[in-house]
Amino acid sequence: MKIDLVIVVLLEIRNHNKDDNVCAKGVRCMQRERQALLHLKGGFVDRYGMLSSWTTANCCQWKGIVCSNITHHILILDLHGDWFAMDEFFLSGIISNSLMELQHLEVLNLSWNQFQGIQVPYFIASLRNLRYLDLSNSGFGGRIPSQFGLLSHLTYLNLEGNSLETCRSFILDGGTLKLHDGAFWLSNLTSLTHLDLSLMDNLNNSHSWLQIIENLQKLRELSLSDCSLSDNFIHSLSPSNFYSSTSLSVFDLSWNKFTSSMIFQLVSNISYNLFELDLCGNNLLEAPASNHFGLMMHFLERLDLSSDRLKGGAIESFMDIGKIPDSSKFPPQLQSLSLESNSLESGVPKSLGSTCTLRSLHLSNNSFNEELPLIMQNLSGCARSSLQELELRMNQINGTLPDFSVFSSLKTLSLDENRLNGKIPKDIRFPTQLETLKMNLNSLGGVISDSHFANMSKLKLLDLSDNSLALEFSKNWTPSFQLGYIGLRSCKLGPTFPKWFHTQNDIEILDISNCGISDSVPEWFWSKVATRGMTKMNVSFNKLKGTIPNFPLKVTPHFVVLASNQFEGPIPPFLRGSAFLDLSQNKFSDFSSFLCANGSVEALGQLDLSNNQLSGKIPYC
């Protein structure tokens, strides 16, 4: 979401400079700025080729660069990395002061890189036109430069996830030596609308920071997640200032150390502007006063109280002995409610089903024990047309499946790890908009047929694992969907290999282990594994047989389990490089070409070749 905000800022720049057609074709960059970028590139360690396009004459066509059509100056420099991609990429090294040459820069994004503790460059403050600055999760250390106070046009600042200090120092004031928190620079950023200081764990002791933050009158979104804030944070605020000046619409205080109900009092006093509140991961054992909670709930659109240890008697103003009572008054404009990972029990009140704007309801990992048909009936008021996400996993919900088709907007349905039982009715239907369906780890029985998936063209994730289900599809069935995740472990899928897999070209994760398949695996399936980007595959504990052909490798599968089958012949080299590879309990006979590449052993994470028919010498490599 934060990276996407670059696009939002770009649109703002376009609106601000209506005659400045950003990113137009044929724009040629300023040579001085091109040289500055090359010096910048020279300081980076670019292991993943992120800057491989930085070689041509026109730097406005380089990746991460956006220029102005009128002035040809660089407006956007977006060099964010990615630690979570399957093939992670990031920059390291140093940041050259040649960056100062980009004086027209309005967006700078260096997030998700690995700068290994270097200090945030003070010379970034010379880029006086910056509106958007994202340095989050990039391994910066030391103090935040006080020069940042010169960035008077800045509207977005994200310093989350670094090892930054709050700049505590001593100053001489009227002949008296005083401790200074060093946050005065922040008071100059009067244009800030977005501020993220998450993971600054010494913020709780830096009162001047908190006092300055409460005086940033244009601030709309504030994230202080995981800053070790305690109840002292609330006491340190000046209520008259904070309540009268704040214009916060999004307030993230998740994963701190709040225990007192005073946090609800604070929020209730600013709630007339507040749309989103995240108090997830605290320790809120005290109940909010009913008037505070009522005010807070009247305006909110999104509320997250998950992982807060809420239980019976904890927040009695809206829960009764751990239950959500049917008399609960939810705000008429509530769009998202998360109460997952608490100790709530009983069921879902009808009043939630009457919340006509409700889009997301997350109640996972509690102790709800109502029957599923009754829960769905209670939600089938006007919420049946608005609800898009329903997460009920890891509860004690029982009963069989009702007809879900009345929930016309539902995209995500998670019912996994409950106590659902009984046979799947032949005539039930799922919503046609559904993208995620998870019912694994229950005790459901009966038959799933292609008629159950009629018109579900948007389905991307299907997990029915660990039930007593039989999947019986028409011989020439062609699904209307393209699945990226298929989980059918311990379902009855065989005895023949599923022909309908041939139509699925987007599979990334596949688990059809222990599915009673006793058949040869067709060549087209191995082609998908080698060339279509499948990253995790488990086909173990079947009776699959045949020789696995080799294919030119495009994407290395990371997790492959072929154990306890009847595969034979040589191990194909295209499996080389997998982080986890279990080939045990088969009939493989040759592994020499698999292990060695160009005279050296291929890097492996975990390899199991036990109980095969290997013979000969272990290759020298």
Side-chain angles (χ1 to χ4, degrees):
M1 182 182 72
K2 293 166 184 172
I3 290 174
D4 292 342
L5 197 57
V6 174
I7 306 302
V8 175
V9 176
L10 173 57
L11 293 174
E12 289 179 353
I13 293 172
R14 284 177 167 171
N15 291 332
H16 181 70
N17 305 315
K18 292 183 180 179
D19 297 326
D20 200 357
N21 184 14
V22 178
C23 230
K25 294 181 179 179
V27 175
R28 300 195 64 82
C29 66
M30 309 288 287
Q31 285 306 304
R32 186 175 67 182
E33 294 185 353
R34 182 181 184 275
Q35 286 302 118
L37 288 176
L38 290 176
H39 283 298
L40 187 66
K41 178 182 178 181
F44 290 138
V45 177
D46 183 15
R47 297 184 180 89
Y48 302 94
M50 290 173 57
L51 308 181
S52 59
S53 65
W54 287 28
T55 56
T56 60
N58 187 5
C59 65
C60 291
Q61 296 179 348
W62 294 354
K63 184 178 180 180
I65 306 296
V66 176
C67 297
S68 162
N69 185 41
I70 303 300
T71 67
H72 295 200
H73 287 297
I74 296 171
L75 299 180
I76 293 180
L77 178 58
D78 184 0
L79 300 179
H80 72 270
D82 191 342
W83 292 358
F84 295 102
M86 195 59 69
D87 297 311
E88 64 179 7
F89 56 91
F90 54 83
L91 297 169
S92 56
I94 63 172
I95 301 172
S96 169
N97 60 8
S98 65
L99 186 65
M100 292 189 294
E101 291 291 334
L102 308 182
Q103 283 297 306
H104 295 263
L105 205 63
E106 300 193 21
V107 173
L108 176 60
N109 187 353
L110 296 174
S111 63
W112 294 103
N113 287 297
Q114 291 190 9
F115 291 118
Q116 299 174 323
I118 68 172
Q119 193 154 358
V120 176
Y122 70 90
F123 48 79
I124 289 178
S126 68
L127 305 174
R128 303 293 178 84
N129 287 305
L130 274 186
R131 299 187 191 184
Y132 178 106
L133 178 59
D134 192 343
L135 304 177
S136 61
N137 301 291
S138 281
F140 289 110
R143 297 178 177 179
I144 303 171
S146 60
Q147 293 90 336
F148 273 20
L150 300 173
L151 299 173
S152 58
H153 296 295
L154 208 60
T155 60
Y156 179 95
L157 176 60
N158 191 345
L159 301 174
E160 173 192 0
N162 291 290
S163 300
L164 299 173
E165 302 172 8
T166 51
C167 311
R168 296 171 69 86
S169 59
F170 290 97
I171 61 170
L172 192 63
D173 183 6
T176 304
L177 201 62
K178 293 185 176 180
L179 184 65
H180 178 59
D181 274 347
F184 61 89
W185 62 269
L186 188 59
S187 62
N188 294 330
L189 305 185
T190 55
S191 298
L192 273 184
T193 59
H194 298 71
L195 177 61
D196 193 331
L197 298 175
S198 299
L199 289 165
M200 290 184 63
D201 59 6
N202 55 357
L203 200 60
N204 193 54
N205 299 319
S206 304
H207 293 165
S208 66
W209 281 74
L210 303 176
Q211 291 164 4
I212 289 172
I213 289 171
E214 68 183 4
N215 285 313
L216 296 174
Q217 296 190 13
K218 293 185 179 180
L219 206 58
R220 300 290 185 272
E221 297 190 16
L222 175 61
S223 180
L224 301 176
S225 175
D226 206 356
C227 288
S228 299
L229 298 176
S230 66
D231 297 337
N232 292 332
F233 163 79
I234 307 168
H235 298 302
S236 68
L237 296 172
S238 304
S240 58
N241 289 340
F242 195 68
Y243 300 155
S244 61
S245 65
T246 186
S247 54
L248 285 181
S249 57
V250 177
F251 201 5
D252 185 352
L253 292 170
S254 60
W255 301 105
N256 282 292
K257 299 178 179 179
F258 298 119
T259 62
S260 171
S261 63
M262 289 186 66
I263 189 64
F264 293 105
Q265 179 181 352
L266 168 70
V267 172
S268 67
N269 281 297
I270 64 173
S271 61
Y272 55 87
N273 285 319
L274 203 60
F275 294 138
E276 295 187 18
L277 174 65
D278 194 340
L279 291 172
C280 162
N282 283 282
N283 194 14
L284 301 174
L285 298 178
E286 293 187 29
S290 57
N291 59 327
H292 294 149
F293 191 79
L295 282 170
M296 184 173 70
M297 289 293 283
H298 186 68
F299 294 97
L300 287 175
E301 293 182 1
R302 177 183 178 274
L303 174 63
D304 192 338
L305 293 173
S306 58
S307 301
D308 273 324
R309 298 182 65 184
L310 303 178
K311 57 184 179 180
I315 48 175
E316 291 147 350
S317 60
F318 78 110
M319 295 198 181
D320 177 23
I321 319 180
K323 302 176 183 179
I324 308 176
D326 198 45
S327 58
S328 297
K329 299 298 181 184
F330 294 94
Q333 75 285 359
L334 185 67
Q335 296 183 17
S336 175
L337 177 63
S338 178
L339 295 169
E340 61 186 25
S341 299
N342 286 293
S343 300
L344 303 174
E345 56 190 32
S346 190
V348 177
K350 287 184 179 180
S351 52
L352 263 176
S354 301
T355 306
C356 301
T357 56
L358 190 64
R359 295 181 180 179
S360 175
L361 180 59
H362 291 204
L363 301 176
S364 298
N365 196 18
N366 279 285
S367 299
F368 292 111
N369 53 15
E370 206 166 41
E371 289 201 356
L372 182 61
L374 183 56
I375 290 176
M376 302 311 295
Q377 181 180 337
N378 287 344
L379 289 173
S380 63
C382 58
R384 71 179 184 271
S385 299
S386 62
L387 197 61
Q388 296 181 8
E389 298 179 13
L390 180 58
E391 297 267 4
L392 296 172
R393 63 187 304 266
M394 296 179 69
N395 280 286
Q396 300 172 25
I397 298 169
N398 53 73
T400 189
L401 298 186
D403 190 348
F404 296 98
S405 61
V406 296
F407 294 87
S408 56
S409 300
L410 201 62
K411 296 180 179 180
T412 298
L413 177 60
S414 295
L415 302 170
D416 42 314
E417 297 186 62
N418 277 288
R419 298 178 178 177
L420 299 177
N421 51 50
K423 292 186 177 181
I424 305 287
K426 292 182 179 180
D427 55 348
I428 72 160
R429 294 293 177 267
F430 297 100
T432 58
Q433 300 298 311
L434 208 60
E435 298 175 4
T436 296
L437 176 59
K438 299 181 69 177
M439 300 193 299
N440 50 300
L441 289 161
N442 281 284
S443 299
L444 294 168
V447 175
I448 292 279
S449 67
D450 39 308
S451 64
H452 286 114
F453 298 104
N455 301 317
M456 293 178 64
S457 60
K458 297 184 178 181
L459 194 64
K460 295 180 175 63
L461 187 156
L462 175 65
D463 199 340
L464 305 175
S465 300
D466 300 308
N467 285 284
S468 298
L469 294 170
L471 278 64
E472 298 179 2
F473 299 124
S474 304
K475 184 177 180 181
N476 295 316
W477 178 51
T478 301
S480 60
F481 49 71
Q482 286 290 329
L483 295 175
Y485 184 114
I486 302 177
L488 301 174
R489 180 180 61 247
S490 298
C491 293
K492 185 181 178 183
L493 192 58
T496 58
F497 193 85
K499 187 177 179 181
W500 61 274
F501 282 5
H502 199 181
T503 68
Q504 302 300 296
N505 297 317
D506 297 336
I507 304 174
E508 294 184 13
I509 297 177
L510 172 69
D511 189 346
I512 52 171
S513 58
N514 192 32
C515 283
I517 307 173
S518 54
D519 196 3
S520 297
V521 179
E523 186 171 318
W524 54 258
F525 175 78
W526 297 119
S527 177
K528 288 180 186 291
V529 175
T531 62
R532 290 286 187 173
M534 195 180 300
T535 57
K536 183 176 180 180
M537 177 182 66
N538 188 348
V539 299
S540 61
F541 292 95
N542 286 289
K543 293 182 180 179
L544 299 171
K545 55 190 176 182
T547 300
I548 303 176
N550 191 34
F551 290 92
L553 184 63
K554 291 186 178 180
V555 180
T556 302
H558 288 262
F559 182 99
V560 178
V561 182
L562 307 182
S564 299
N565 281 289
Q566 299 173 13
F567 294 118
E568 58 188 11
I571 301 170
F574 80 83
L575 294 177
R576 186 188 293 140
S578 300
F580 182 97
L581 182 58
D582 187 350
L583 305 177
S584 62
Q585 300 285 345
N586 279 285
K587 299 179 181 179
F588 290 113
S589 57
D590 183 8
F591 68 135
S592 56
S593 61
F594 163 73
L595 279 179
C596 298
N598 300 320
S600 62
V601 68
E602 186 71 21
L604 291 168
Q606 182 171 331
L607 172 65
D608 191 342
L609 293 172
S610 62
N611 292 286
N612 276 281
Q613 296 179 1
L614 303 176
S615 60
K617 296 180 179 180
I618 298 175
Y620 178 76
C621 70

